[in-house]
Amino acid sequence: MTDFIRLDKALSNMGAASRREVKEAVKKGKILVNGIPAKNSDMKITGEDELVINGIPLKYKKYEYYMLNKPAGVISATTDSKERTVTDLISGGRNDLFPVGRLDKDTVGLLVITNDGALAHELLSPVKHVKKTYFVRVEGRISEETDKKFSAGICIGSEQFQPAELVILKNGEESEAEITIYEGKFHQIKRMFEAVGNRVIYLKRLSMGNLRLDESLPEGNYRELSEDELQQLKYRQ
Ligand code: URA
């Protein structure tokens, strides 16, 4: 089914112009729809239409998907009165975008930002068991027992965690590992390591589903997902 949307709503959703700016631009004949100046800012368009706004070509997209390499020090929320949020890092003052799940303020790495609520719901639903892999650095040695405990599913207090996969990369005064979990409980990885005597000192998300963080993307930067990456995110194992 073709999705129709008002021209002014489409452009303001995409952060290209406010509704008022669209109205002004339409009056001045500065918005072309398929080469013809738009007559009204409330005309209906689809993603198939070729738009030109003040000489700049644009296509309306209902959903947008970004990969953010989250830096430390920003919170995984859309707005906050005190703290900088991950959506503040996306330019254009967009208010329709939100992060898919949460990373702690000091956690870095892959965070998907979108306006596709249905996909976010799918990815976060506990019954879907979407896998997430993290690189972790901890204080102290990671014991052999930890692997067994994590792969059996550790119990902390009355809370049962699902089996997780651990690959130890380096063991010493500070140790490093990759850990894959299939749920997303609050401070999950920090709590799992704390339960086996290792304090997490650095945590970075490397992947979600089959989507991997583009390591060439500097921390704090973001880019649109490619079509292939979107499929990797949508279609899992
Ligand atoms: N587990 C944590 O402890 N923190 C995160 O940010 C993500 C997973």
Side-chain angles (χ1 to χ4, degrees):
M1 201 183 75
T2 313
D3 281 312
F4 288 93
I5 184 167
R6 282 170 56 137
L7 176 64
D8 54 358
K9 188 162 194 293
L11 293 176
S12 72
N13 281 357
M14 290 169 71
S18 68
R19 291 199 189 195
R20 183 194 295 258
E21 285 165 345
V22 175
K23 207 168 191 160
E24 286 302 307
V26 164
K27 265 195 216 154
K28 292 180 185 156
K30 294 207 160 168
I31 300 189
L32 307 183
V33 180
N34 301 320
I36 300 165
K39 289 202 177 71
N40 299 300
S41 58
D42 63 357
M43 74 175 283
K44 298 284 196 301
I45 59 149
T46 75
E48 300 300 307
D49 293 317
E50 305 282 347
L51 309 177
V52 178
I53 323 294
N54 295 325
I56 300 165
L58 197 78
K59 270 210 160 194
Y60 165 64
K61 283 190 210 146
K62 184 171 182 189
Y63 295 124
E64 291 175 49
Y65 307 90
Y66 297 97
M67 167 188 294
L68 169 70
N69 188 353
K70 180 191 172 297
V74 293
I75 61 165
S76 300
T78 50
T79 53
D80 193 89
S81 55
K82 293 193 198 88
E83 306 270 7
R84 217 149 65 104
T85 72
V86 288
T87 52
D88 291 338
L89 300 176
I90 310 279
S91 62
R94 303 283 303 270
N95 58 11
D96 59 325
L97 297 172
F98 52 84
V100 178
R102 285 168 187 273
L103 292 177
D104 296 338
K105 190 172 170 185
D106 57 353
T107 300
V108 301
L110 177 65
L111 193 60
V112 173
I113 310 274
T114 185
N115 55 354
D116 183 345
L119 180 64
H121 187 262
E122 275 268 302
L123 291 169
L124 298 175
S125 163
V127 295
K128 301 282 179 182
H129 305 297
V130 174
K131 69 176 173 194
K132 279 135 318 214
T133 299
Y134 294 80
F135 169 85
V136 61
R137 186 174 300 125
V138 298
E139 281 176 355
R141 293 186 68 81
I142 302 173
S143 86
E144 299 285 304
E145 284 302 297
T146 297
D147 185 21
K148 290 190 195 125
K149 285 182 185 161
F150 284 2
S151 61
I154 194 169
C155 193
I156 304 174
S158 58
E159 202 169 1
Q160 180 66 49
F161 290 75
Q162 286 169 23
E165 290 145 27
L166 183 70
V167 178
I168 298 172
L169 304 172
K170 185 181 133 188
N171 238 337
E173 253 173 59
E174 279 182 7
S175 303
E176 294 175 353
E178 274 190 21
I179 176 166
T180 301
I181 57 174
Y182 295 84
E183 55 193 341
K185 294 197 164 102
F186 186 60
H187 293 330
Q188 177 157 350
I189 291 174
K190 290 176 183 160
R191 286 160 66 210
M192 286 171 70
F193 275 98
E194 188 138 338
V196 293
N198 298 107
R199 194 175 74 86
V200 170
I201 48 182
Y202 176 81
L203 187 60
K204 175 179 186 175
R205 181 149 68 191
L206 303 176
S207 65
M208 182 177 211
N210 292 326
L211 176 68
R212 280 195 74 80
L213 175 69
D214 174 352
E215 293 284 353
S216 72
L217 195 63
E219 273 182 25
N221 286 35
Y222 69 93
R223 66 160 171 78
E224 246 186 289
L225 291 188
S226 68
E227 197 47 49
D228 275 358
E229 287 170 333
L230 181 58
Q231 298 316 319
Q232 286 159 14
L233 187 64
K234 283 186 173 173
Y235 301 106
R236 299 171 296 277
Q237 42 263 342

